[in-house]
Amino acid sequence: MPDERPSAEGPATFREVFDQREFRAVFTAGALSWVGDYVAKAAVTLLVYQQTESVALSAAAFAVSYLPWLLGGPLLAALAERYPYRRVMVACDVIRMALMLLIAIPNLPIPAVLVLIFAATLANPPSQAAKSALIPQILAGDRLVVGLSLNSSIGQAAQVVGYLLGAAVAAIDPGLALLINALTFAASALLVRLGVRDRAPLMTTAHRSHLLRETAQGFQIVFGTPVLRAIAVLVFSAMLFSIVPEGLAAAWANKDAGGDLDAGVAQAVIMVANPVGFILGGLLVSRLFGPARRLALMRPLAVFAPLVLVPALFDPPPLVVALLAALCGFAVAGMLPMANGLFVQALPAAFRARAFGVMATGVQVIQGVAVLVTGLLAERFAIPLVVGVWSAAGVLLMTVAALRWPDQQTVNGTIAAAVAANAESPVSQPDPDGPTSGGAAAGPEPRTGDGRRRHAVT
Protein backbone atom coordinates (compact mmCIF):
# COMPACT_ATOMS: atom_id res chain seq x y z
CA MET A 1 0.00 0.00 0.00
CA PRO A 2 1.60 3.33 -1.02
CA ASP A 3 2.51 5.96 1.50
CA GLU A 4 0.37 9.12 1.62
CA ARG A 5 3.53 11.22 1.50
CA PRO A 6 4.63 12.60 -1.85
CA SER A 7 7.66 10.32 -1.46
CA ALA A 8 8.87 7.44 0.62
CA GLU A 9 12.28 9.08 0.67
CA GLY A 10 13.78 11.11 3.49
CA PRO A 11 13.80 14.90 3.52
CA ALA A 12 15.44 16.41 0.44
CA THR A 13 17.96 19.25 0.66
CA PHE A 14 18.10 22.53 -1.24
CA ARG A 15 21.40 21.44 -2.76
CA GLU A 16 19.86 18.28 -4.19
CA VAL A 17 17.12 20.33 -5.81
CA PHE A 18 19.45 22.95 -7.30
CA ASP A 19 21.77 20.24 -8.63
CA GLN A 20 19.15 19.80 -11.35
CA ARG A 21 20.24 22.16 -14.15
CA GLU A 22 16.79 22.41 -15.68
CA PHE A 23 15.19 23.34 -12.37
CA ARG A 24 17.74 26.15 -11.95
CA ALA A 25 16.73 27.55 -15.34
CA VAL A 26 12.98 27.34 -14.64
CA PHE A 27 13.46 28.73 -11.14
CA THR A 28 15.47 31.76 -12.32
CA ALA A 29 13.22 32.46 -15.29
CA GLY A 30 10.14 32.43 -13.08
CA ALA A 31 11.75 34.78 -10.57
CA LEU A 32 12.57 37.34 -13.26
CA SER A 33 9.13 37.38 -14.84
CA TRP A 34 7.42 37.53 -11.43
CA VAL A 35 9.45 40.58 -10.40
CA GLY A 36 8.38 42.39 -13.56
CA ASP A 37 4.73 41.45 -13.07
CA TYR A 38 4.58 42.76 -9.52
CA VAL A 39 6.41 45.96 -10.46
CA ALA A 40 3.64 46.69 -12.95
CA LYS A 41 0.83 45.59 -10.59
CA ALA A 42 2.00 47.71 -7.66
CA ALA A 43 2.52 50.77 -9.84
CA VAL A 44 -0.92 50.57 -11.47
CA THR A 45 -2.73 49.86 -8.18
CA LEU A 46 -1.17 52.82 -6.39
CA LEU A 47 -1.70 55.12 -9.36
CA VAL A 48 -5.43 54.31 -9.55
CA TYR A 49 -5.95 54.95 -5.84
CA GLN A 50 -4.05 58.26 -5.97
CA GLN A 51 -6.19 59.46 -8.87
CA THR A 52 -9.59 58.24 -7.62
CA GLU A 53 -9.23 57.77 -3.84
CA SER A 54 -11.66 54.85 -4.27
CA VAL A 55 -11.12 51.58 -2.41
CA ALA A 56 -13.26 49.69 -4.91
CA LEU A 57 -11.44 51.05 -8.00
CA SER A 58 -8.05 50.43 -6.40
CA ALA A 59 -9.08 46.86 -5.65
CA ALA A 60 -10.37 46.50 -9.22
CA ALA A 61 -7.01 47.65 -10.62
CA PHE A 62 -5.28 45.09 -8.43
CA ALA A 63 -7.66 42.34 -9.56
CA VAL A 64 -7.66 43.10 -13.31
CA SER A 65 -4.81 40.67 -13.98
CA TYR A 66 -6.95 37.84 -12.59
CA LEU A 67 -9.73 38.38 -15.14
CA PRO A 68 -8.21 36.29 -17.99
CA TRP A 69 -8.22 33.27 -15.71
CA LEU A 70 -11.95 33.67 -15.21
CA LEU A 71 -12.72 34.11 -18.91
CA GLY A 72 -10.57 31.34 -20.35
CA GLY A 73 -7.97 30.03 -17.93
CA PRO A 74 -8.72 26.28 -18.13
CA LEU A 75 -9.26 26.41 -21.89
CA LEU A 76 -5.95 28.19 -22.48
CA ALA A 77 -4.17 25.90 -20.01
CA ALA A 78 -5.42 22.86 -21.94
CA LEU A 79 -3.37 24.07 -24.92
CA ALA A 80 -0.21 23.35 -22.92
CA GLU A 81 -1.03 19.62 -23.01
CA ARG A 82 -0.87 19.64 -26.82
CA TYR A 83 2.61 21.10 -27.26
CA PRO A 84 6.08 20.66 -25.72
CA TYR A 85 6.11 22.46 -22.39
CA ARG A 86 9.32 24.34 -23.14
CA ARG A 87 7.90 25.69 -26.41
CA VAL A 88 4.72 26.85 -24.64
CA MET A 89 6.66 28.69 -21.94
CA VAL A 90 8.99 30.44 -24.41
CA ALA A 91 6.17 31.44 -26.77
CA CYS A 92 4.13 32.91 -23.90
CA ASP A 93 7.10 34.93 -22.65
CA VAL A 94 7.77 36.34 -26.12
CA ILE A 95 4.12 37.30 -26.59
CA ARG A 96 3.99 39.04 -23.21
CA MET A 97 7.26 40.83 -23.89
CA ALA A 98 5.93 42.24 -27.18
CA LEU A 99 2.66 43.42 -25.61
CA MET A 100 4.44 45.06 -22.68
CA LEU A 101 6.66 46.97 -25.13
CA LEU A 102 3.50 48.28 -26.79
CA ILE A 103 2.05 49.30 -23.44
CA ALA A 104 5.23 51.23 -22.63
CA ILE A 105 4.67 53.58 -25.60
CA PRO A 106 4.43 57.13 -24.17
CA ASN A 107 1.01 58.80 -23.90
CA LEU A 108 -0.91 55.63 -24.70
CA PRO A 109 -4.54 56.08 -23.52
CA ILE A 110 -5.27 54.34 -20.22
CA PRO A 111 -8.11 52.22 -21.71
CA ALA A 112 -5.69 50.94 -24.34
CA VAL A 113 -3.15 50.16 -21.62
CA LEU A 114 -5.71 48.13 -19.70
CA VAL A 115 -6.77 46.22 -22.82
CA LEU A 116 -3.16 45.35 -23.65
CA ILE A 117 -2.47 44.28 -20.07
CA PHE A 118 -5.51 42.02 -20.27
CA ALA A 119 -4.25 40.56 -23.56
CA ALA A 120 -0.80 39.96 -22.08
CA THR A 121 -2.20 38.12 -19.09
CA LEU A 122 -4.08 35.76 -21.42
CA ALA A 123 -0.67 34.08 -21.86
CA ASN A 124 -0.42 33.35 -18.14
CA PRO A 125 -2.67 30.24 -18.01
CA PRO A 126 -0.83 28.16 -20.65
CA SER A 127 2.56 29.32 -19.37
CA GLN A 128 1.85 28.45 -15.74
CA ALA A 129 0.18 25.14 -16.65
CA ALA A 130 3.20 24.13 -18.73
CA LYS A 131 5.58 25.09 -15.94
CA SER A 132 3.58 23.18 -13.32
CA ALA A 133 3.53 20.08 -15.52
CA LEU A 134 7.23 20.38 -16.36
CA ILE A 135 8.60 20.59 -12.81
CA PRO A 136 7.46 17.02 -11.88
CA GLN A 137 9.37 15.81 -14.95
CA ILE A 138 12.52 17.42 -13.55
CA LEU A 139 12.16 16.60 -9.84
CA ALA A 140 10.71 13.59 -8.00
CA GLY A 141 9.91 12.42 -4.48
CA ASP A 142 10.60 14.83 -1.65
CA ARG A 143 12.83 16.81 -4.02
CA LEU A 144 9.62 17.74 -5.83
CA VAL A 145 7.99 18.97 -2.59
CA VAL A 146 11.08 21.01 -1.66
CA GLY A 147 11.32 22.29 -5.24
CA LEU A 148 7.69 23.40 -5.15
CA SER A 149 8.35 25.15 -1.84
CA LEU A 150 11.39 26.92 -3.28
CA ASN A 151 9.44 27.90 -6.37
CA SER A 152 6.60 29.33 -4.25
CA SER A 153 9.06 31.13 -1.99
CA ILE A 154 10.92 32.79 -4.86
CA GLY A 155 7.56 33.87 -6.23
CA GLN A 156 6.81 35.59 -2.95
CA ALA A 157 10.31 37.09 -2.77
CA ALA A 158 9.81 38.45 -6.27
CA GLN A 159 6.51 39.89 -5.06
CA VAL A 160 8.27 41.74 -2.25
CA VAL A 161 10.91 43.16 -4.59
CA GLY A 162 8.34 43.94 -7.26
CA TYR A 163 5.95 45.74 -4.92
CA LEU A 164 8.72 47.85 -3.39
CA LEU A 165 10.26 48.68 -6.75
CA GLY A 166 6.84 49.26 -8.33
CA ALA A 167 5.82 51.74 -5.66
CA ALA A 168 9.02 53.68 -6.29
CA VAL A 169 8.78 53.53 -10.09
CA ALA A 170 5.12 54.64 -10.08
CA ALA A 171 6.18 58.00 -8.68
CA ILE A 172 8.40 58.48 -11.75
CA ASP A 173 6.63 56.83 -14.70
CA PRO A 174 4.24 53.85 -14.79
CA GLY A 175 5.41 53.15 -18.34
CA LEU A 176 8.88 52.47 -17.01
CA ALA A 177 7.47 49.71 -14.80
CA LEU A 178 5.91 48.09 -17.86
CA LEU A 179 9.21 48.33 -19.75
CA ILE A 180 10.94 46.54 -16.86
CA ASN A 181 8.30 43.84 -17.12
CA ALA A 182 8.99 43.40 -20.85
CA LEU A 183 12.71 42.97 -20.21
CA THR A 184 12.09 40.32 -17.55
CA PHE A 185 9.94 38.34 -19.98
CA ALA A 186 12.71 38.47 -22.58
CA ALA A 187 15.25 37.16 -20.08
CA SER A 188 12.85 34.44 -18.94
CA ALA A 189 12.28 33.22 -22.51
CA LEU A 190 16.02 33.04 -23.11
CA LEU A 191 16.70 31.09 -19.92
CA VAL A 192 13.98 28.51 -20.61
CA ARG A 193 15.01 28.11 -24.26
CA LEU A 194 18.67 27.50 -23.40
CA GLY A 195 18.35 25.77 -20.04
CA VAL A 196 15.46 23.30 -20.46
CA ARG A 197 15.60 20.14 -22.56
CA ASP A 198 12.91 19.81 -25.19
CA ARG A 199 10.43 17.00 -24.54
CA ALA A 200 7.70 15.60 -26.74
CA PRO A 201 4.14 16.54 -25.73
CA LEU A 202 2.20 13.92 -23.79
CA MET A 203 -0.76 14.39 -26.14
CA THR A 204 0.08 13.67 -29.80
CA THR A 205 -1.83 15.14 -32.74
CA ALA A 206 -3.41 11.77 -33.49
CA HIS A 207 -4.97 11.58 -30.04
CA ARG A 208 -6.37 15.09 -29.75
CA SER A 209 -10.07 15.67 -29.33
CA HIS A 210 -12.03 18.92 -29.17
CA LEU A 211 -10.27 21.50 -26.99
CA LEU A 212 -13.46 22.06 -24.99
CA ARG A 213 -13.69 18.34 -24.26
CA GLU A 214 -10.06 18.24 -23.16
CA THR A 215 -10.70 21.25 -20.91
CA ALA A 216 -13.73 19.55 -19.38
CA GLN A 217 -11.60 16.50 -18.64
CA GLY A 218 -9.35 18.71 -16.53
CA PHE A 219 -12.31 19.78 -14.39
CA GLN A 220 -13.58 16.20 -14.21
CA ILE A 221 -10.28 14.78 -12.96
CA VAL A 222 -9.93 17.48 -10.26
CA PHE A 223 -13.49 17.68 -8.95
CA GLY A 224 -14.49 14.10 -9.71
CA THR A 225 -11.64 12.58 -7.67
CA PRO A 226 -12.26 12.84 -3.88
CA VAL A 227 -8.60 13.30 -2.94
CA LEU A 228 -7.92 15.93 -5.62
CA ARG A 229 -11.18 17.66 -4.78
CA ALA A 230 -10.25 17.80 -1.08
CA ILE A 231 -6.87 19.34 -1.94
CA ALA A 232 -8.56 21.86 -4.25
CA VAL A 233 -11.00 22.93 -1.52
CA LEU A 234 -8.15 23.34 0.98
CA VAL A 235 -6.03 25.43 -1.40
CA PHE A 236 -8.95 27.54 -2.67
CA SER A 237 -10.10 28.25 0.88
CA ALA A 238 -6.62 29.43 1.85
CA MET A 239 -6.50 31.82 -1.10
CA LEU A 240 -9.95 33.23 -0.31
CA PHE A 241 -8.78 35.18 2.74
CA SER A 242 -4.96 35.34 2.72
CA ILE A 243 -4.93 37.84 -0.17
CA VAL A 244 -7.27 40.36 1.51
CA PRO A 245 -4.78 42.44 3.60
CA GLU A 246 -2.57 42.76 0.53
CA GLY A 247 -5.41 43.80 -1.77
CA LEU A 248 -6.74 46.42 0.67
CA ALA A 249 -3.30 47.68 1.72
CA ALA A 250 -3.47 51.03 -0.09
CA ALA A 251 -6.80 52.00 1.46
CA TRP A 252 -5.92 50.50 4.85
CA ALA A 253 -2.71 52.53 5.04
CA ASN A 254 -4.32 55.77 3.88
CA LYS A 255 -7.19 55.58 6.37
CA ASP A 256 -4.61 56.22 9.11
CA ALA A 257 -2.76 58.97 7.24
CA GLY A 258 -0.97 61.24 9.65
CA GLY A 259 -0.18 58.46 12.12
CA ASP A 260 3.19 57.11 13.12
CA LEU A 261 3.95 55.82 9.62
CA ASP A 262 3.80 57.60 6.29
CA ALA A 263 0.89 56.22 4.23
CA GLY A 264 3.20 55.02 1.47
CA VAL A 265 5.46 53.23 3.93
CA ALA A 266 2.48 51.67 5.69
CA GLN A 267 1.11 50.41 2.37
CA ALA A 268 4.44 48.86 1.42
CA VAL A 269 4.82 47.20 4.82
CA ILE A 270 1.35 45.64 4.67
CA MET A 271 1.73 44.52 1.04
CA VAL A 272 5.07 42.78 1.57
CA ALA A 273 4.23 41.20 4.96
CA ASN A 274 2.32 38.21 3.60
CA PRO A 275 4.99 37.37 1.00
CA VAL A 276 7.76 37.67 3.61
CA GLY A 277 5.89 35.33 5.94
CA PHE A 278 5.30 32.98 3.01
CA ILE A 279 9.01 32.87 2.21
CA LEU A 280 9.96 32.08 5.80
CA GLY A 281 7.21 29.48 6.17
CA GLY A 282 8.07 27.69 2.94
CA LEU A 283 11.78 27.51 3.66
CA LEU A 284 11.63 26.71 7.37
CA VAL A 285 8.86 24.10 7.26
CA SER A 286 10.53 22.35 4.31
CA ARG A 287 13.88 22.12 6.08
CA LEU A 288 12.88 21.61 9.72
CA PHE A 289 10.31 18.83 9.20
CA GLY A 290 10.37 15.61 7.25
CA PRO A 291 7.63 14.54 4.81
CA ALA A 292 5.50 12.72 7.39
CA ARG A 293 5.53 15.62 9.87
CA ARG A 294 4.76 18.15 7.14
CA LEU A 295 1.77 16.05 6.14
CA ALA A 296 0.53 15.97 9.74
CA LEU A 297 0.89 19.76 10.00
CA MET A 298 -0.90 20.51 6.73
CA ARG A 299 -4.47 20.71 8.03
CA PRO A 300 -3.71 22.45 11.37
CA LEU A 301 -1.75 25.12 9.47
CA ALA A 302 -4.68 25.54 7.09
CA VAL A 303 -6.96 26.42 10.03
CA PHE A 304 -4.32 28.60 11.71
CA ALA A 305 -3.87 30.77 8.61
CA PRO A 306 -7.23 32.62 8.77
CA LEU A 307 -7.26 32.47 12.57
CA VAL A 308 -4.30 34.86 12.88
CA LEU A 309 -6.16 37.53 10.85
CA VAL A 310 -9.22 37.61 13.13
CA PRO A 311 -7.58 40.14 15.55
CA ALA A 312 -7.87 42.69 12.72
CA LEU A 313 -11.30 43.30 14.28
CA PHE A 314 -9.57 45.40 16.98
CA ASP A 315 -8.20 47.90 14.42
CA PRO A 316 -4.48 47.40 15.16
CA PRO A 317 -1.82 49.80 13.79
CA PRO A 318 -0.23 49.06 10.39
CA LEU A 319 2.81 47.28 11.87
CA VAL A 320 0.57 44.86 13.77
CA VAL A 321 -1.53 44.34 10.64
CA ALA A 322 1.68 43.48 8.81
CA LEU A 323 2.65 40.99 11.53
CA LEU A 324 -0.74 39.26 11.29
CA ALA A 325 -0.46 39.09 7.51
CA ALA A 326 3.06 37.64 7.83
CA LEU A 327 1.85 34.90 10.19
CA CYS A 328 -0.93 34.08 7.76
CA GLY A 329 1.58 33.81 4.91
CA PHE A 330 3.81 31.58 7.06
CA ALA A 331 0.95 29.14 7.73
CA VAL A 332 -0.18 29.03 4.09
CA ALA A 333 3.39 28.36 2.92
CA GLY A 334 3.70 25.55 5.45
CA MET A 335 0.72 23.65 4.04
CA LEU A 336 0.74 24.56 0.34
CA PRO A 337 3.83 22.68 -0.99
CA MET A 338 2.75 19.50 0.78
CA ALA A 339 -0.73 19.83 -0.71
CA ASN A 340 0.78 20.42 -4.15
CA GLY A 341 3.10 17.43 -3.80
CA LEU A 342 0.21 15.16 -2.83
CA PHE A 343 -1.80 16.56 -5.74
CA VAL A 344 0.98 15.56 -8.16
CA GLN A 345 1.20 12.08 -6.69
CA ALA A 346 -2.55 11.47 -6.92
CA LEU A 347 -2.84 12.84 -10.47
CA PRO A 348 -2.14 10.80 -13.65
CA ALA A 349 0.69 12.48 -15.57
CA ALA A 350 -1.40 12.85 -18.72
CA PHE A 351 -3.71 15.33 -17.01
CA ARG A 352 -1.09 17.51 -15.30
CA ALA A 353 -1.26 20.63 -17.45
CA ARG A 354 -5.06 20.62 -17.56
CA ALA A 355 -5.47 19.89 -13.85
CA PHE A 356 -2.93 22.52 -12.84
CA GLY A 357 -4.71 24.91 -15.19
CA VAL A 358 -7.95 24.28 -13.31
CA MET A 359 -6.20 24.81 -9.97
CA ALA A 360 -4.37 27.95 -11.07
CA THR A 361 -7.57 29.38 -12.52
CA GLY A 362 -9.41 28.71 -9.29
CA VAL A 363 -6.68 30.37 -7.24
CA GLN A 364 -6.55 33.44 -9.47
CA VAL A 365 -10.32 33.86 -9.69
CA ILE A 366 -10.86 33.33 -5.96
CA GLN A 367 -8.16 35.86 -5.09
CA GLY A 368 -9.63 38.41 -7.46
CA VAL A 369 -13.16 37.86 -6.15
CA ALA A 370 -11.97 38.09 -2.53
CA VAL A 371 -10.28 41.44 -3.16
CA LEU A 372 -13.23 42.83 -5.11
CA VAL A 373 -15.86 41.71 -2.58
CA THR A 374 -13.95 42.93 0.47
CA GLY A 375 -13.15 46.16 -1.36
CA LEU A 376 -16.85 46.77 -1.97
CA LEU A 377 -17.67 45.90 1.65
CA ALA A 378 -14.97 48.32 2.82
CA GLU A 379 -16.80 51.14 1.02
CA ARG A 380 -19.66 50.69 3.54
CA PHE A 381 -17.95 49.25 6.62
CA ALA A 382 -14.67 49.79 8.44
CA ILE A 383 -11.77 47.88 6.89
CA PRO A 384 -10.75 46.19 10.21
CA LEU A 385 -14.33 44.92 10.65
CA VAL A 386 -14.43 43.58 7.09
CA VAL A 387 -11.09 41.77 7.37
CA GLY A 388 -11.80 40.38 10.84
CA VAL A 389 -15.25 38.99 10.00
CA TRP A 390 -14.04 37.68 6.63
CA SER A 391 -11.20 35.84 8.40
CA ALA A 392 -13.51 34.42 11.08
CA ALA A 393 -15.59 32.93 8.27
CA GLY A 394 -12.34 31.54 6.88
CA VAL A 395 -11.66 29.72 10.15
CA LEU A 396 -15.03 27.97 9.90
CA LEU A 397 -14.48 27.12 6.24
CA MET A 398 -11.01 25.69 6.84
CA THR A 399 -12.18 23.68 9.83
CA VAL A 400 -14.89 22.05 7.74
CA ALA A 401 -12.39 21.34 4.93
CA ALA A 402 -9.93 19.77 7.38
CA LEU A 403 -12.60 17.60 9.04
CA ARG A 404 -13.88 16.33 5.68
CA TRP A 405 -10.42 15.21 4.53
CA PRO A 406 -10.50 11.76 2.82
CA ASP A 407 -9.45 8.78 4.91
CA GLN A 408 -6.11 7.01 4.48
CA GLN A 409 -7.57 4.19 2.41
CA THR A 410 -9.07 6.59 -0.11
CA VAL A 411 -5.82 8.53 -0.42
CA ASN A 412 -3.78 5.35 -0.88
CA GLY A 413 -6.19 3.99 -3.47
CA THR A 414 -6.08 7.19 -5.51
CA ILE A 415 -2.28 7.27 -5.49
CA ALA A 416 -2.12 3.61 -6.53
CA ALA A 417 -4.53 4.26 -9.42
CA ALA A 418 -2.44 7.20 -10.64
CA VAL A 419 0.78 5.17 -10.53
CA ALA A 420 -0.92 2.30 -12.36
CA ALA A 421 -2.24 4.67 -15.06
CA ASN A 422 1.28 5.96 -15.72
CA ALA A 423 2.77 2.46 -15.80
CA GLU A 424 0.09 1.09 -18.15
CA SER A 425 0.91 3.50 -20.95
CA PRO A 426 2.50 1.59 -23.84
CA VAL A 427 4.86 4.46 -24.68
CA SER A 428 6.03 5.19 -21.16
CA GLN A 429 9.80 5.52 -20.99
CA PRO A 430 12.14 6.67 -18.21
CA ASP A 431 13.35 10.24 -18.50
CA PRO A 432 17.15 10.11 -18.21
CA ASP A 433 17.42 13.77 -17.28
CA GLY A 434 14.31 13.89 -15.14
CA PRO A 435 13.15 12.29 -11.92
CA THR A 436 14.77 9.11 -10.73
CA SER A 437 11.94 8.06 -8.44
CA GLY A 438 8.30 8.74 -7.70
CA GLY A 439 5.78 6.86 -9.76
CA ALA A 440 3.52 9.83 -10.36
CA ALA A 441 6.30 12.04 -11.55
CA ALA A 442 6.42 10.92 -15.15
CA GLY A 443 4.53 9.07 -17.81
CA PRO A 444 2.44 9.88 -20.88
CA GLU A 445 -1.28 10.00 -21.16
CA PRO A 446 -3.09 6.73 -20.38
CA ARG A 447 -5.26 5.45 -23.24
CA THR A 448 -7.79 2.74 -23.90
CA GLY A 449 -7.22 0.03 -26.44
CA ASP A 450 -8.81 2.09 -29.23
CA GLY A 451 -6.53 5.03 -28.57
CA ARG A 452 -9.06 7.27 -26.79
CA ARG A 453 -8.04 9.16 -23.65
CA ARG A 454 -9.56 7.78 -20.46
CA HIS A 455 -9.66 8.73 -16.79
CA ALA A 456 -7.45 6.49 -14.69
CA VAL A 457 -8.81 8.01 -11.49
CA THR A 458 -12.51 8.59 -10.91
Side-chain angles (χ1 to χ4, degrees), residues 28-44 96 100 117 154-155 157-163 165-166 169 174-186 188:
T28 307
L32 286 172
S33 61
W34 275 329
V35 167
D37 271 347
Y38 287 117
V39 164
K41 184 179 290 189
V44 171
R96 289 182 290 189
M100 288 298 166
I117 288 177
I154 194 60
Q159 189 172 355
V160 173
V161 174
Y163 278 152
L165 183 59
V169 172
L176 181 59
L178 298 169
L179 181 59
I180 292 173
N181 199 2
L183 293 175
T184 59
F185 281 133
S188 174

Side-chain angles (χ1 to χ4, degrees), residues 72-302:
L75 186 70
L76 294 169
L79 288 172
E81 209 86 79
R82 295 183 167 194
Y83 304 99
Y85 296 143
R86 184 185 72 170
R87 187 185 306 171
V88 172
M89 294 169 66
V90 171
C92 289
D93 278 343
V94 172
I95 290 171
R96 289 182 290 189
M97 176 197 70
L99 290 173
M100 288 298 166
L101 288 175
L102 290 176
I103 297 170
I105 295 175
N107 301 320
L108 198 65
I110 289 180
V113 170
L114 294 177
V115 169
L116 289 172
I117 288 177
F118 172 78
T121 53
L122 286 174
N124 289 350
S127 177
Q128 291 193 24
K131 179 180 177 180
S132 296
L134 175 64
I135 290 178
Q137 292 185 330
I138 299 172
L139 302 172
D142 199 52
R143 289 187 294 278
L144 173 61
V145 177
V146 174
L148 291 171
S149 179
L150 286 168
N151 193 62
S152 297
S153 295
I154 194 60
Q156 298 298 318
Q159 189 172 355
V160 173
V161 174
Y163 278 152
L164 293 175
L165 183 59
V169 172
I172 303 172
D173 181 10
L176 181 59
L178 298 169
L179 181 59
I180 292 173
N181 199 2
L183 293 175
T184 59
F185 281 133
S188 174
L190 186 63
L191 281 168
V192 173
R193 178 61 180 82
L194 299 179
V196 175
R197 184 172 66 82
D198 198 20
R199 294 172 171 83
L202 295 181
M203 182 187 297
T204 64
T205 303
H207 294 106
R208 292 179 185 174
S209 64
H210 195 284
L211 186 59
L212 289 175
R213 180 180 299 172
E214 294 165 9
T215 303
Q217 289 172 343
F219 282 94
Q220 183 180 346
I221 196 72
V222 172
F223 295 107
T225 307
V227 173
L228 298 181
R229 183 172 63 244
I231 296 171
V233 170
L234 201 68
V235 172
F236 292 162
S237 299
M239 297 302 106
L240 187 62
F241 56 82
S242 61
I243 191 67
V244 171
E246 185 180 322
L248 300 183
W252 207 338
N254 279 272
K255 84 176 184 63
D256 291 326
D260 294 336
L261 288 180
D262 174 78
V265 174
Q267 177 193 353
V269 169
I270 296 173
M271 291 189 81
V272 303
N274 188 279
V276 168
F278 195 102
I279 294 167
L280 294 175
L283 297 179
L284 291 178
V285 173
S286 294
R287 293 303 303 130
L288 294 179
F289 303 105
R293 181 60 61 84
R294 292 200 301 267
L295 181 67
L297 289 172
M298 185 173 66
R299 279 167 282 173
L301 285 173

Side-chain angles (χ1 to χ4, degrees), residues 345-405:
Q345 194 182 24
L347 177 68
F351 295 93
R352 281 210 190 105
R354 282 171 283 177
F356 278 115
V358 171
M359 291 296 294
T361 298
V363 167
Q364 299 291 333
V365 170
I366 284 172
Q367 286 182 321
V369 168
V371 172
L372 285 173
V373 171
T374 54
L376 290 171
L377 290 173
E379 292 278 10
R380 296 179 56 87
F381 305 101
I383 293 178
L385 177 64
V386 171
V387 176
V389 173
W390 187 267
S391 302
V395 174
L396 295 176
L397 182 61
M398 281 303 221
T399 300
V400 171
L403 292 175
R404 293 181 61 84
W405 189 259

Side-chain angles (χ1 to χ4, degrees), residues 320-348:
V320 176
V321 172
L323 176 61
L324 299 178
L327 289 173
C328 177
F330 187 99
V332 172
M335 55 79 63
L336 199 56
M338 200 67 194
N340 287 342
L342 185 59
F343 190 87
V344 170
Q345 194 182 24
L347 177 68

